[in-house]
Amino acid sequence: MDIPRIFNITESAHRIHNPFTPDKFATLGAALRLEPGTRVLDLGSGSGEMLCTWARDHGISGTGVDMSQLFFEQAKRRAHELGVSDRVEFIHGDATGYVAEKKVDVAACVGATWIGGGVAGTIELLAKSLGDGGIILIGEPYWRQLPPTEDVAKECLAGSIADFLALPELLASFGTLGYDVVEMVLANQDGWDKYEAAKWLTMRRWLDANPDDDLAQDIRAELASAPVRHATYTREYLGWGVFALMAQPKGPQG
Ligand code: SAH
């Protein structure tokens, strides 16, 4: 079981597989006022940077589930490196439908909401693992600027304009789903650059080492077009953030 090979190639050197930089995860961890012993579930945990650094900095314990064999192995290595292997556990597998055996305090899906079939489905899935008063974290793109055409949306690697909302609409949508937005940390263009540009050097080095690979032509084409496409489209049109949500109280006061 694995994700498409192209991601394991282009993101093999990434510690964070989204436009967040280490300081953004640190800001988010502090903003959430994480206490030692807080239990965190992370679906699509990638190379485990969020769980491992929060375990080191805040003493949380956590479980991450990810379908990439490579990222899963990197996550275990990172936990070992940071001395938190006793507190964070990584599971290699499909997180679709994954529900924790014991309820958690924070249930996250940071940049992988297709796991629940979109934002609403992912919130519903995470809620099944969440204890009373717990926090859901959703990492998701939004339109910084609305693309003028569907073609522009596609250049941002969206299927269509309708795949994402503008930030105010995204925030409002959480309310419609019955959640209060209680915190948010947004990525910025530097973060996008870090995420995207790191792929370019990785691709170049991979091409030098694997000139005859079946994917070499695709990767060469991607390397040739990615920088200009990024600067023209993704960097300008797409924003990204992590949103912290708490279920609105039910009953007369809610
Ligand atoms: N949250 C991580 C990774 C985000 S990238 C970070 O912030 O760094 C999206 C991740 O989802 C990748 O690690 C990919 O391997 C994983 N993924 C994709 N489909 C998945 C699935 N069905 N189940 C579990 N993980 C999945």
Side-chain angles (χ1 to χ4, degrees):
M1 179 194 302
D2 214 326
I3 58 170
R5 187 168 166 239
I6 184 130
F7 300 113
N8 284 326
I9 295 171
T10 58
E11 299 194 26
S12 63
H14 285 58
R15 215 167 244 172
I16 298 172
H17 304 265
N18 69 53
F20 257 24
T21 42
D23 59 302
K24 294 285 183 181
F25 271 131
T27 300
L28 180 62
L32 295 174
R33 305 168 206 169
L34 296 168
E35 300 282 346
T38 299
R39 300 166 53 80
V40 183
L41 172 69
D42 189 11
L43 301 186
S45 45
S47 300
E49 192 66 4
M50 182 179 86
L51 287 180
C52 291
T53 54
W54 286 359
R56 178 194 61 192
D57 300 340
H58 300 285
I60 62 119
S61 67
T63 301
V65 185
D66 200 281
M67 203 155 87
S68 161
Q69 177 75 37
L70 175 69
F71 301 166
F72 157 72
E73 280 164 11
Q74 290 180 163
K76 281 196 302 187
R77 214 174 309 136
R78 186 70 172 142
H80 187 71
E81 203 173 277
L82 297 187
V84 296
S85 299
D86 56 331
R87 265 173 286 146
V88 295
E89 168 199 25
F90 291 100
I91 298 169
H92 176 231
D94 189 343
T96 308
Y98 185 91
V99 178
E101 276 169 29
K102 199 170 156 202
K103 299 274 190 211
V104 299
D105 307 301
V106 177
C109 180
V110 177
T113 53
W114 56 86
I115 285 172
V119 170
T122 299
I123 290 175
E124 213 174 294
L125 172 61
L126 293 171
K128 292 181 185 165
S129 296
L130 199 66
D132 287 344
I135 290 181
I136 287 180
L137 297 180
I138 293 286
E140 184 71 1
Y142 59 87
W143 294 120
R144 266 183 90 224
Q145 291 183 59
L146 215 55
T149 64
E150 291 292 346
D151 284 345
V152 169
K154 289 199 171 69
E155 295 287 356
C156 300
L157 303 184
S160 73
I161 297 173
D163 279 6
F164 305 125
L165 300 170
L167 183 58
E169 282 74 40
L170 179 58
L171 293 169
S173 77
F174 295 128
T176 309
L177 293 170
Y179 285 84
D180 290 328
V181 179
V182 297
E183 256 297 349
M184 71 173 187
V185 177
L186 303 181
N188 57 28
Q189 286 175 306
D190 285 349
W192 268 123
D193 296 344
K194 285 234 171 304
Y195 177 44
E196 294 300 328
K199 297 177 192 173
W200 309 338
L201 180 58
T202 302
M203 286 193 278
R204 175 54 206 259
R205 292 208 166 140
W206 183 89
L207 280 166
D208 289 348
N210 300 276
D212 302 321
D213 191 280
D214 287 349
L215 275 181
Q217 275 195 343
D218 292 353
I219 302 261
R220 162 110 316 267
E222 178 61 18
L223 176 59
S225 59
V228 172
R229 190 183 63 235
H230 168 64
T232 313
Y233 299 106
T234 313
R235 188 175 204 281
E236 291 306 313
Y237 288 97
L238 217 49
W240 197 90
V242 179
F243 306 92
L245 315 173
M246 292 177 73
Q248 289 163 356
K250 297 187 180 78
Q253 84 280 25

